[in-house]
Amino acid sequence: MPPPDVNKTHEDAVGSLKNPLKFLDQDYQTLHQSLLSKKMQFSDESFPANRSSIGTGLLSDKVMAQVKWKRPSEIVLYRPCLVVDGVSRFDYAQGSKLGDCWFLASIGAVSSQMDIMDQVIPAEQSFSKGYAGIFHFMFWRFGKWIDVVIDDQLPTINNRLIFVSSKIATEFWPALLEKAYAKVCGSFADLHGGFVSEALIDFTGGVHMHFDIKEAPANLWNMMESAFKSKTLMGCSTPRGATFQNTVLPNGIVEGHAYTVTGVCQVTTKEPVRLVRMFNPWGKGEWTGDWSDRSPLWKTVSANDNKNCLSVADNGEFWMSMEDYTKSFKTMDICCLSPDFLNGSSKCSWSSQYHIGQWTTETAGGIRAIWKNPQFRVRIEKPGEDCAGGECPENILVSLMQNHENRRRKQLPHLFIGFFVYEIPPEASKN
């Protein structure tokens, strides 16, 4: 078949960062100006402050009856703020009522990249100048950037937020960002359970790499080190326990839980030791084994390594050796705007493109009739001398995602999908 058209988003095209799609046809600027002129506060009918937005199966009827939706000015005594002293992974703590650690772990990764956070949280929003109870956030969904409008009414019990909250009482960016993502996914209940990779992609539009740690390549730590140096986002998850609960093990690791990889470094004691730094989106609860905050092993490293790496605080962040990391965690996700870091050379750069196809009754051939499936032809150029010998000498990275028509995330069927890569022989490449 002939090669398909390559889809590339131009800077000003609909669905680009400069011209995002308006989610549910809500235009933030138009709504904001209308509210200011009428001196009104926004109430979002498309994601109302009631039971439907929380969703089903998350809270019992008894707990739901206690929920009251309040604006930040009704929750705190002093003037609320969207952001206080910048955005940080240490700002927030996961709520006890919602299992969206996968989403919050991805925020932990993204919050250290201010260029990305500035895209996700558009500027010139506040609770003072131009305040009208309306905010908006940006997410990347299946090839397009979307602008999501919300009101600032948040679910509370006894005047406390029941989902994510900031450790600074007057700061509300975590709660509002979580609400905007819940709106995209259908409800707060639709955020209960997921994969770090989902949110990392939705925050960045980046290319996703997934590893089963037990089957990961031998050079995984080198890959992680290169990714960290290039400010690439990383997250990981622990295996589920027998009870499928977030049980805290004696070593401090939580079963069935998502974490953020926030650092990779090598220190020297009697011999070099490779370390990985992790962040628990609960905002507390840490590994207690070797290289934890109070481990005596830190006394064996140089003063410089100790100063650069160690921070003793119960903030959910900790170090552990690569060996303990591979024993404690099951899967790992890397999300990059460009996989340049795989080459280990600043002189190398990857080009990217995406193709859109679909499986229908006629085209979903499966393995037995794979020739019926959508096919895309890609020309792989030979790497130059500067790029040779990197972590990805094959020179191609394929990332596949599935777009559904149903907005409700929890109602989406878990379809098994995949792809095959075939080499086209030279004699057939001209056909």
Side-chain angles (χ1 to χ4, degrees), residues 356-370:
I356 297 176
Q358 62 179 334
W359 287 292
T360 64
T361 304
E362 291 76 22
T363 63
I367 295 178
R368 294 182 179 179
I370 195 170

PDB file of all heavy atoms in Angstrom, residues 356-370:
ATOM      1  N   ILE A 356      -2.629   8.309  11.877  1.00  0.00           N
ATOM      2  CA  ILE A 356      -3.935   7.982  12.438  1.00  0.00           C
ATOM      3  C   ILE A 356      -4.587   6.915  11.568  1.00  0.00           C
ATOM      4  O   ILE A 356      -4.674   7.052  10.346  1.00  0.00           O
ATOM      5  CB  ILE A 356      -4.841   9.223  12.515  1.00  0.00           C
ATOM      6  CG1 ILE A 356      -4.231  10.268  13.456  1.00  0.00           C
ATOM      7  CG2 ILE A 356      -6.240   8.836  12.985  1.00  0.00           C
ATOM      8  CD1 ILE A 356      -5.019  11.554  13.522  1.00  0.00           C
ATOM      9  N   GLY A 357      -5.005   5.846  12.193  1.00  0.00           N
ATOM     10  CA  GLY A 357      -5.727   4.799  11.487  1.00  0.00           C
ATOM     11  C   GLY A 357      -6.836   4.283  12.374  1.00  0.00           C
ATOM     12  O   GLY A 357      -7.024   4.763  13.490  1.00  0.00           O
ATOM     13  N   GLN A 358      -7.581   3.311  11.903  1.00  0.00           N
ATOM     14  CA  GLN A 358      -8.641   2.760  12.733  1.00  0.00           C
ATOM     15  C   GLN A 358      -8.899   1.304  12.383  1.00  0.00           C
ATOM     16  O   GLN A 358      -8.673   0.869  11.256  1.00  0.00           O
ATOM     17  CB  GLN A 358      -9.932   3.572  12.569  1.00  0.00           C
ATOM     18  CG  GLN A 358     -10.500   3.565  11.156  1.00  0.00           C
ATOM     19  CD  GLN A 358     -11.789   4.356  11.054  1.00  0.00           C
ATOM     20  OE1 GLN A 358     -12.508   4.511  12.047  1.00  0.00           O
ATOM     21  NE2 GLN A 358     -12.090   4.856   9.875  1.00  0.00           N
ATOM     22  N   TRP A 359      -9.329   0.577  13.413  1.00  0.00           N
ATOM     23  CA  TRP A 359      -9.765  -0.794  13.210  1.00  0.00           C
ATOM     24  C   TRP A 359     -11.286  -0.792  13.107  1.00  0.00           C
ATOM     25  O   TRP A 359     -11.975  -0.229  13.957  1.00  0.00           O
ATOM     26  CB  TRP A 359      -9.327  -1.672  14.375  1.00  0.00           C
ATOM     27  CG  TRP A 359      -7.861  -1.967  14.395  1.00  0.00           C
ATOM     28  CD1 TRP A 359      -7.172  -2.729  13.498  1.00  0.00           C
ATOM     29  CD2 TRP A 359      -6.909  -1.528  15.363  1.00  0.00           C
ATOM     30  NE1 TRP A 359      -5.839  -2.780  13.836  1.00  0.00           N
ATOM     31  CE2 TRP A 359      -5.644  -2.061  14.973  1.00  0.00           C
ATOM     32  CE3 TRP A 359      -6.977  -0.743  16.500  1.00  0.00           C
ATOM     33  CZ2 TRP A 359      -4.474  -1.829  15.694  1.00  0.00           C
ATOM     34  CZ3 TRP A 359      -5.820  -0.503  17.225  1.00  0.00           C
ATOM     35  CH2 TRP A 359      -4.593  -1.051  16.820  1.00  0.00           C
ATOM     36  N   THR A 360     -11.797  -1.405  12.087  1.00  0.00           N
ATOM     37  CA  THR A 360     -13.238  -1.549  11.920  1.00  0.00           C
ATOM     38  C   THR A 360     -13.536  -3.033  11.749  1.00  0.00           C
ATOM     39  O   THR A 360     -12.647  -3.883  11.773  1.00  0.00           O
ATOM     40  CB  THR A 360     -13.737  -0.778  10.686  1.00  0.00           C
ATOM     41  OG1 THR A 360     -13.157  -1.366   9.504  1.00  0.00           O
ATOM     42  CG2 THR A 360     -13.327   0.690  10.755  1.00  0.00           C
ATOM     43  N   THR A 361     -14.809  -3.335  11.557  1.00  0.00           N
ATOM     44  CA  THR A 361     -15.192  -4.733  11.347  1.00  0.00           C
ATOM     45  C   THR A 361     -14.473  -5.335  10.151  1.00  0.00           C
ATOM     46  O   THR A 361     -14.089  -6.506  10.146  1.00  0.00           O
ATOM     47  CB  THR A 361     -16.718  -4.830  11.136  1.00  0.00           C
ATOM     48  OG1 THR A 361     -17.384  -4.242  12.247  1.00  0.00           O
ATOM     49  CG2 THR A 361     -17.149  -6.292  10.998  1.00  0.00           C
ATOM     50  N   GLU A 362     -14.252  -4.495   9.137  1.00  0.00           N
ATOM     51  CA  GLU A 362     -13.614  -4.981   7.917  1.00  0.00           C
ATOM     52  C   GLU A 362     -12.095  -5.026   8.034  1.00  0.00           C
ATOM     53  O   GLU A 362     -11.433  -5.810   7.348  1.00  0.00           O
ATOM     54  CB  GLU A 362     -13.997  -4.093   6.730  1.00  0.00           C
ATOM     55  CG  GLU A 362     -15.460  -4.193   6.307  1.00  0.00           C
ATOM     56  CD  GLU A 362     -16.377  -3.445   7.260  1.00  0.00           C
ATOM     57  OE1 GLU A 362     -15.886  -2.543   7.958  1.00  0.00           O
ATOM     58  OE2 GLU A 362     -17.573  -3.801   7.313  1.00  0.00           O
ATOM     59  N   THR A 363     -11.505  -4.162   8.880  1.00  0.00           N
ATOM     60  CA  THR A 363     -10.041  -4.037   8.896  1.00  0.00           C
ATOM     61  C   THR A 363      -9.374  -4.684  10.097  1.00  0.00           C
ATOM     62  O   THR A 363      -8.164  -4.845  10.118  1.00  0.00           O
ATOM     63  CB  THR A 363      -9.626  -2.557   8.865  1.00  0.00           C
ATOM     64  OG1 THR A 363     -10.103  -1.898  10.050  1.00  0.00           O
ATOM     65  CG2 THR A 363     -10.171  -1.858   7.637  1.00  0.00           C
ATOM     66  N   ALA A 364     -10.139  -5.043  11.127  1.00  0.00           N
ATOM     67  CA  ALA A 364      -9.521  -5.634  12.322  1.00  0.00           C
ATOM     68  C   ALA A 364      -9.258  -7.108  12.068  1.00  0.00           C
ATOM     69  O   ALA A 364     -10.030  -7.990  12.459  1.00  0.00           O
ATOM     70  CB  ALA A 364     -10.414  -5.435  13.542  1.00  0.00           C
ATOM     71  N   GLY A 365      -8.146  -7.377  11.405  1.00  0.00           N
ATOM     72  CA  GLY A 365      -7.891  -8.732  10.973  1.00  0.00           C
ATOM     73  C   GLY A 365      -7.297  -9.630  12.030  1.00  0.00           C
ATOM     74  O   GLY A 365      -7.384 -10.853  11.938  1.00  0.00           O
ATOM     75  N   GLY A 366      -6.649  -9.033  13.050  1.00  0.00           N
ATOM     76  CA  GLY A 366      -5.991  -9.858  14.040  1.00  0.00           C
ATOM     77  C   GLY A 366      -4.775 -10.548  13.451  1.00  0.00           C
ATOM     78  O   GLY A 366      -4.348 -10.282  12.327  1.00  0.00           O
ATOM     79  N   ILE A 367      -4.180 -11.440  14.198  1.00  0.00           N
ATOM     80  CA  ILE A 367      -2.949 -12.095  13.770  1.00  0.00           C
ATOM     81  C   ILE A 367      -3.177 -12.980  12.538  1.00  0.00           C
ATOM     82  O   ILE A 367      -2.342 -13.066  11.656  1.00  0.00           O
ATOM     83  CB  ILE A 367      -2.362 -12.924  14.930  1.00  0.00           C
ATOM     84  CG1 ILE A 367      -1.939 -11.984  16.073  1.00  0.00           C
ATOM     85  CG2 ILE A 367      -1.172 -13.755  14.462  1.00  0.00           C
ATOM     86  CD1 ILE A 367      -1.388 -12.700  17.273  1.00  0.00           C
ATOM     87  N   ARG A 368      -4.335 -13.639  12.458  1.00  0.00           N
ATOM     88  CA  ARG A 368      -4.577 -14.570  11.360  1.00  0.00           C
ATOM     89  C   ARG A 368      -4.781 -13.850  10.024  1.00  0.00           C
ATOM     90  O   ARG A 368      -4.581 -14.438   8.961  1.00  0.00           O
ATOM     91  CB  ARG A 368      -5.786 -15.442  11.674  1.00  0.00           C
ATOM     92  CG  ARG A 368      -5.556 -16.378  12.858  1.00  0.00           C
ATOM     93  CD  ARG A 368      -6.760 -17.274  13.104  1.00  0.00           C
ATOM     94  NE  ARG A 368      -6.536 -18.180  14.217  1.00  0.00           N
ATOM     95  CZ  ARG A 368      -7.432 -19.060  14.650  1.00  0.00           C
ATOM     96  NH1 ARG A 368      -8.619 -19.149  14.039  1.00  0.00           N
ATOM     97  NH2 ARG A 368      -7.160 -19.854  15.669  1.00  0.00           N
ATOM     98  N   ALA A 369      -5.229 -12.609  10.085  1.00  0.00           N
ATOM     99  CA  ALA A 369      -5.447 -11.849   8.847  1.00  0.00           C
ATOM    100  C   ALA A 369      -4.886 -10.444   9.021  1.00  0.00           C
ATOM    101  O   ALA A 369      -5.572  -9.449   8.813  1.00  0.00           O
ATOM    102  CB  ALA A 369      -6.933 -11.811   8.505  1.00  0.00           C
ATOM    103  N   ILE A 370      -3.626 -10.404   9.409  1.00  0.00           N
ATOM    104  CA  ILE A 370      -3.027  -9.120   9.756  1.00  0.00           C
ATOM    105  C   ILE A 370      -2.945  -8.177   8.570  1.00  0.00           C
ATOM    106  O   ILE A 370      -2.880  -6.960   8.724  1.00  0.00           O
ATOM    107  CB  ILE A 370      -1.630  -9.347  10.372  1.00  0.00           C
ATOM    108  CG1 ILE A 370      -1.163  -8.075  11.079  1.00  0.00           C
ATOM    109  CG2 ILE A 370      -0.636  -9.818   9.328  1.00  0.00           C
ATOM    110  CD1 ILE A 370       0.075  -8.282  11.913  1.00  0.00           C
TER     111      ILE A 370
END
